Amino acid sequence: MLDIQNLHASVEGKEILKGLNLHVNEGEIHAIMGPNGSGKSTLSKVLAGHPSYNVTSGTADLEVNLRPRNLLEMAPEERARNGIFLAYQYPVEIPGVPNKVFLRAAFNSICKFQGAKEVNEDEFELILKEKCKLLELPTGDDDRFVNREVNVSLSGGEKKRNEILQMAILNPRLAFLDETDSGLDVDSLKIVAEGINRLRNKHNAIVLVTHYQRLLDYIIPDFVHVLYQGKIIRTGDRNLAKDIESRGYDWLIKELQ
Amino acid sequence: MVPENNSAIVEHEATTSKISADQIFYLKSRGIDDEGAISLLLHGFCKDVFKTLPLEFSIEAVKLLEMKLEGSVG
């Protein structure tokens, strides 16, 4: 589904990704771990098409209707419409815009692209209720999560849950979750992880970018990659994450030298 | 008060709001195009101001805002 070859990318002239390779098939869950500053967030931003990140060489192809398409040539909204989703580490606040207005605009833009009928407020209300239930978000009429301004009056944990709500509504084929677990207490982490597990199916894929093995106790990855200095230096199964939890990254870095 | 670029700062005596590149990108990464993104952000900003207008002006103001945006971006 996604094939990244020898990807190099820079921010403000500084090279962060230095020859990254990653292959993701449908139905798979990948975890990307790595010390601070290894390029984890850069990878997510590059794949979502953030304008501050420049790809200097390499390729990233996304399979669309069974054919590989150059992801790097697509505008950010085009990537989203073709099934790419990024759950932000720091979700952006949009003052004055109610969450459900934003969510419906996003949902309809994707419906329109896929040739499906756009939904009105009442129809969307039903979709929203169902997805909120799935993520154990409040669906009552007063002080509803979805009536608040986008990310403005939400706590850190609620912002992360709002990202997963967007994922539930947009139903992406390939979701990058950038440190979705950070800032969540144990109970919220469980709820979010269960929500993510419910969104899994054999046609979509999820890439978890995380610092902690804790999340991987709830969402079992097929592959664990270690990113270091802009490259994946080791790929393994979930036991690799456990080794990192107990031994850190030093032993992996030493093996490189 | 229509910002001509993504980094413009729109101000009103009672409110300060910044339409930033990050906000535009956030909306675009959810499948919303440039025009839709700017329209959402502007509506959000203007909502508070329009609330203080009498109803007939309020309706007209929203319509004017939409007209101005049509074809002005992209």
Side-chain angles (χ1 to χ4, degrees):
Chain A
M1 176 192 278
L2 177 71
D3 190 32
I4 301 175
Q5 300 274 353
N6 197 25
L7 190 69
H8 290 249
S10 60
V11 191
E12 291 166 357
K14 189 173 178 241
E15 189 170 61
I16 309 285
L17 298 182
K18 301 168 183 172
L20 184 137
N21 298 301
L22 181 67
H23 191 85
V24 181
N25 294 312
E26 43 182 47
E28 291 177 349
I29 294 199
H30 292 244
I32 297 181
M33 303 182 77
N36 290 326
S38 55
K40 301 189 297 295
S41 288
T42 297
L43 176 63
S44 313
K45 290 277 174 66
V46 164
L47 295 176
H50 196 287
S52 305
Y53 296 77
N54 292 318
V55 173
T56 47
S57 67
T59 58
D61 289 331
L62 176 73
E63 202 177 278
V64 179
N65 298 328
L66 303 173
R67 282 193 191 151
R69 276 192 61 191
N70 184 353
L71 185 68
L72 304 173
E73 274 181 359
M74 295 185 203
E77 63 270 35
E78 223 184 317
R79 299 180 196 206
R81 292 168 188 178
N82 281 293
I84 297 272
F85 180 86
L86 167 62
Y88 287 69
Q89 184 181 3
Y90 303 109
V92 180
E93 297 186 359
I94 317 270
V97 179
N99 212 1
K100 66 176 175 188
V101 170
F102 158 62
L103 292 169
R104 187 161 74 93
F107 183 79
N108 274 340
S109 70
I110 288 175
C111 283
K112 195 175 164 188
F113 175 79
Q114 292 174 344
K117 193 180 151 285
E118 292 178 51
V119 296
N120 63 30
E121 274 179 53
D122 294 341
E123 290 163 333
F124 189 66
E125 196 72 25
L126 296 175
I127 297 169
L128 203 50
K129 254 195 181 137
E130 184 202 316
K131 301 299 181 189
C132 282
K133 253 188 208 152
L134 187 78
L135 300 174
E136 300 180 36
L137 289 167
T139 53
D141 277 333
D142 30 288
D143 188 28
R144 287 183 52 193
F145 191 77
V146 294
N147 288 330
R148 299 192 223 167
E149 297 174 28
V150 181
N151 292 324
V152 174
S153 45
L154 303 183
S155 71
E158 284 174 326
K159 284 181 185 176
K160 297 298 176 81
R161 288 168 76 177
N162 196 30
E163 293 294 293
I164 304 305
L165 174 62
Q166 292 170 46
M167 177 180 164
I169 284 165
L170 301 180
N171 192 21
R173 291 162 56 220
L174 178 59
F176 273 80
L177 311 186
D178 193 359
E179 298 199 18
T180 297
D181 50 343
S182 68
L184 291 180
D185 58 40
V186 181
D187 295 329
S188 306
L189 180 74
K190 259 190 208 165
I191 294 170
V192 166
E194 277 163 19
I196 294 167
N197 280 329
R198 281 181 209 130
L199 299 175
R200 284 187 72 172
N201 63 49
K202 58 179 197 256
H203 300 298
N204 63 22
I206 296 171
V207 179
L208 305 162
V209 175
T210 181
H211 266 298
Y212 306 105
Q213 123 83 17
R214 198 177 61 162
L215 177 68
L216 308 180
D217 284 336
Y218 301 108
I219 306 172
I220 313 294
D222 300 297
F223 301 96
V224 173
H225 309 278
V226 176
L227 187 61
Y228 177 65
Q229 293 188 343
K231 269 185 179 178
I232 285 173
I233 58 165
R234 179 70 73 98
T235 294
D237 58 17
R238 58 183 302 215
N239 291 318
L240 177 58
K242 289 193 171 133
D243 286 346
I244 291 166
E245 185 81 352
S246 59
R247 299 170 65 190
Y249 294 105
D250 282 353
W251 61 284
L252 282 168
I253 295 163
K254 276 191 189 122
E255 279 179 18
L256 284 179
Q257 290 153 357
Chain B
M1 288 197 296
V2 180
E4 298 287 339
N5 64 56
N6 295 348
S7 59
I9 296 169
V10 185
E11 285 182 48
H12 176 261
E13 58 185 13
T15 339
T16 301
S17 178
K18 195 176 174 191
I19 289 185
S20 69
D22 278 341
Q23 288 177 329
I24 302 259
F25 178 69
Y26 189 69
L27 296 174
K28 287 178 72 162
S29 73
R30 298 302 183 236
I32 299 167
D33 61 17
D34 274 306
E35 195 162 328
I38 292 174
S39 166
L40 264 180
L41 292 171
L42 272 180
H43 273 92
F45 173 75
C46 294
K47 210 181 69 181
D48 285 345
V49 181
F50 289 170
K51 257 193 279 181
T52 63
L53 298 174
L55 185 65
E56 67 235 64
F57 292 122
S58 167
I59 291 168
E60 199 170 339
V62 171
K63 276 189 183 153
L64 278 170
L65 179 66
E66 277 161 1
M67 273 170 65
K68 242 201 138 65
L69 282 168
E70 219 167 280
S72 65
V73 183

